[in-house]
Amino acid sequence: MKNSQINELKSSFIQQGYIVLPQALGDADKATLEHVSQELSKRSQELLTTVKSNNQNLSDFYRENLSELIAVPEFDNDEKVCRYEYLKGYSQPIKTLIVPKLQQLIRQLTDTDFVLFKDKCNAKNPGGGAFEPHQDIIAYDQFKPAYHVTAAIFLDDATLENGCLYFPQNYQQDLANLETHRVPTPVGDLPVLQSYEGGTTHGNIRQEICDQMNWIPITAKAGDVVLFDSYVPHYSKKNKSQLTRRAMFFTFNPHSDGDFYEAYYDMKHREFDNPKFHVATPTAHSKRGL
Ligand SMILES: O=C(O)CCC(=O)C(=O)O
């Protein structure tokens, strides 16, 4: 990338909270991710099927299997994979090839060193996968870092029909007069918006605040990367197509805050049902009374 392009992306990222990087990964990386996705998707499906056929619950299963891939089902079907997590912990190519590449990319665009905080693949199978408007930060605040950057890598084209992401345009300007808690971050004070607590809407940004933002769909091609910070609100609709809309999400925190990857996944294995891990997601546990 040219310096002028990088500078433009940097300021857009700070202003909007997200940027789109078309075809940011090369063919070899795309092939690696396709291979990993097939392997891990198969494993997560096996896990859901086995736990169900053994009449176990996932919460007990993960407390006893602390290094296993985490498979999370859709709320309306306990054998349909919504997402799987702990990719770096489970896959060598993710650890040695993909994560270092993303660290390099994020460094180039933020001038800061980041370490991996968490990682997941949203399977977004036909008929599933709607994520309500939310800010990721409220799902992460049990750990020290107060600012994160996520690289979303699309493995399939993301379209209006299959549930692409939506982000608001200039939300900070639109919400400038909103009285809300603001957190100091490396890119200035960022707002934490009021959300619903408990029940089926746990973690969703309150409707009257959603209505003040100008949401736009971000369609993407397989191989595109969208970088977004942990404060920018976002959502996606149900997949109404007949095919999956897979996307991997690698979330990083500044290196200077420390490395929490294993601590995060230790907690997630031990507390699978904790609502913190089911913010605005279409997963089985988020839709239970909390
Ligand atoms: O995969 C999607 O469509 C939305 C992802 C998301 O917002 C999340 O996992 O927090």
Side-chain angles (χ1 to χ4, degrees), residues 48-253:
L48 294 188
T49 307
T50 310
V51 168
K52 184 170 173 147
S53 63
N54 290 344
N55 274 332
Q56 259 182 313
N57 68 52
L58 285 164
S59 180
D60 293 341
F61 175 80
Y62 281 115
R63 243 193 317 273
E64 288 157 19
N65 293 278
L66 295 174
S67 54
E68 186 54 88
L69 185 69
I70 295 184
V72 190
E74 289 268 345
F75 79 94
D76 57 356
N77 183 341
D78 55 10
E79 280 189 272
K80 182 166 166 182
V81 177
C82 175
R83 62 171 195 241
Y84 50 88
E85 300 214 16
Y86 196 43
L87 312 186
K88 184 187 99 167
Y90 205 76
S91 159
Q92 211 46 27
I94 293 284
K95 182 176 176 170
T96 57
L97 297 174
I98 304 299
V99 170
K101 230 167 235 176
L102 293 174
Q103 280 174 301
Q104 209 182 354
L105 181 72
I106 294 173
R107 190 178 200 305
Q108 201 179 17
L109 291 162
T110 59
D111 299 317
T112 307
D113 286 323
F114 279 80
V115 287
L116 193 66
F117 179 74
K118 62 167 285 180
D119 49 17
K120 68 183 175 207
C121 180
N122 287 343
K124 200 121 179 171
N125 280 304
F131 288 75
E132 302 298 334
H134 65 280
Q135 293 177 293
D136 287 345
I137 189 67
I138 65 165
Y140 304 159
D141 61 8
Q142 64 275 44
F143 294 96
K144 177 184 170 192
Y147 179 74
H148 313 74
V149 174
T150 294
I153 305 177
F154 290 89
L155 273 59
D156 301 305
D157 292 355
T159 64
L160 294 178
E161 192 195 6
N162 71 10
C164 64
L165 288 170
Y166 285 70
F167 287 102
Q169 229 174 358
N170 296 320
Y171 80 102
Q172 291 202 59
Q173 274 170 34
D174 285 345
L175 302 182
N177 295 327
L178 188 75
E179 273 189 38
T180 198
H181 177 52
R182 287 172 202 270
V183 177
T185 77
V187 295
D189 289 355
L190 293 176
V192 178
L193 306 174
Q194 278 192 356
S195 57
Y196 300 105
E197 277 182 39
T200 56
T201 55
H202 180 67
N204 299 2
I205 298 170
R206 295 186 67 88
Q207 191 59 48
E208 65 274 19
I209 301 177
C210 289
D211 292 344
Q212 293 176 48
M213 292 183 266
N214 177 22
W215 296 95
I216 52 168
I218 304 296
T219 55
K221 291 273 169 220
D224 288 354
V225 174
V226 177
L227 281 196
F228 60 98
D229 70 34
S230 43
Y231 292 79
V232 64
H234 55 284
Y235 74 90
S236 67
K237 298 181 185 172
K238 238 184 192 183
N239 180 354
K240 292 194 188 136
S241 79
Q242 298 305 313
L243 300 170
T244 57
R245 192 239 62 192
R246 299 163 301 159
M248 287 184 176
F249 294 78
F250 295 87
T251 298
F252 295 83
N253 66 263

